[in-house]
Amino acid sequence: QDRLENKTPLINENLKKCLSTKDGRLVASLILDFLQVFSLDFSLAVFQPEINSLNGLDGRDLVCRELGLSESELNRNSPVLLELVRRSRQKDEPSVIN
Amino acid sequence: QDRLENKTPLINENLKKCLSTKDGRLVASLILDFLQVFSLDFSLAVFQPEINSLNGLDGRDLVCRELGLSESELNRNSPVLLELVRRSRQKDEPSVIN
């Protein structure tokens, strides 16, 4: 029980620290974009208040720019995060796994 | 109103299509990892049923392997997605923006 008491504030501290960095905000913005693209309205309604970062999240256009992705290349029906994962896999694994 | 009626099934179709691909599942798994690392329990409770993919999501170890990340390099308190964004920025932008 001691450990639990120590853990909870630490975790919130972690999230706060993460969201205070540029990359951390970018990550949260990518998740937001995913939820918006697929109209996951219930998740949106909970995620935004839970991370408590209504102020700091970037829009899709800014996210694309920061990742060096051209927004025009991206399908409006496809989350930016999917493109990021695709690019990342292409670079790192020349069809090694599966 | 016609357009709305046409749109809703299309969106669910999009999500289903996305989650049926390997990269799509990877994206959802990355979001799941983020929510778990920061103990965003309310978001977790809504996200998992809303995407309706309890079966197909990968654990953190598999996600790391598929992205070519060494799990031992990663801080347990840090989401895999953060590392992905960091690497992506390092590769694409040699400190051009900001």
Side-chain angles (χ1 to χ4, degrees):
Chain A
Q1 216 176 3
D2 276 318
R3 280 196 301 176
L4 258 178
E5 279 166 9
N6 287 334
K7 215 175 169 186
T8 312
L10 194 72
I11 286 162
N12 296 338
E13 207 50 54
N14 270 344
L15 177 60
K16 223 190 284 178
K17 213 174 76 182
C18 176
L19 292 178
S20 73
T21 67
K22 194 169 184 171
D23 284 340
R25 272 200 311 280
L26 199 52
V27 164
S29 303
L30 282 165
I31 294 177
L32 191 66
D33 175 64
F34 178 94
L35 300 179
Q36 285 171 337
V37 164
F38 293 124
S39 299
L40 296 167
D41 294 333
F42 298 105
S43 297
L44 278 169
V46 178
F47 178 69
Q48 286 181 299
E50 196 172 24
I51 67 166
N52 194 20
S53 185
L54 285 168
N55 47 335
L57 295 191
D58 304 326
R60 184 177 168 107
D61 48 347
L62 191 55
V63 168
C64 286
R65 218 182 315 149
E66 295 201 346
L67 292 170
L69 292 164
S70 156
E71 209 186 346
S72 56
E73 284 173 40
L74 291 175
N75 188 329
R76 268 273 151 206
N77 296 324
S78 184
V80 180
L81 190 46
L82 185 61
E83 188 57 31
L84 188 68
V85 165
R86 272 194 198 131
R87 283 200 316 173
S88 179
R89 298 236 289 186
Q90 280 166 5
K91 279 177 191 164
D92 297 319
E93 311 172 17
S95 66
V96 174
I97 295 173
N98 283 27
Chain B
Q1 218 175 1
D2 275 320
R3 279 194 304 176
L4 259 178
E5 278 165 9
N6 287 333
K7 214 175 170 185
T8 313
L10 193 72
I11 286 163
N12 297 339
E13 208 48 55
N14 269 345
L15 177 60
K16 223 190 283 178
K17 213 174 78 183
C18 176
L19 292 177
S20 73
T21 67
K22 194 168 185 173
D23 285 338
R25 272 200 310 279
L26 198 53
V27 163
S29 303
L30 283 166
I31 294 178
L32 191 66
D33 174 65
F34 178 95
L35 299 179
Q36 284 171 338
V37 164
F38 293 125
S39 298
L40 296 168
D41 295 332
F42 298 105
S43 296
L44 278 168
V46 178
F47 178 69
Q48 286 180 299
E50 196 172 24
I51 68 168
N52 193 20
S53 186
L54 284 168
N55 47 334
L57 295 192
D58 304 325
R60 183 178 169 107
D61 48 347
L62 191 56
V63 168
C64 285
R65 217 180 319 148
E66 294 202 346
L67 292 170
L69 291 165
S70 156
E71 209 186 346
S72 56
E73 284 173 42
L74 291 176
N75 188 329
R76 270 272 150 208
N77 296 322
S78 185
V80 180
L81 190 45
L82 185 60
E83 188 57 32
L84 188 68
V85 165
R86 272 194 197 130
R87 282 201 316 174
S88 179
R89 299 235 289 184
Q90 280 165 5
K91 280 177 191 167
D92 296 319
E93 312 172 15
S95 66
V96 174
I97 295 174
N98 284 26

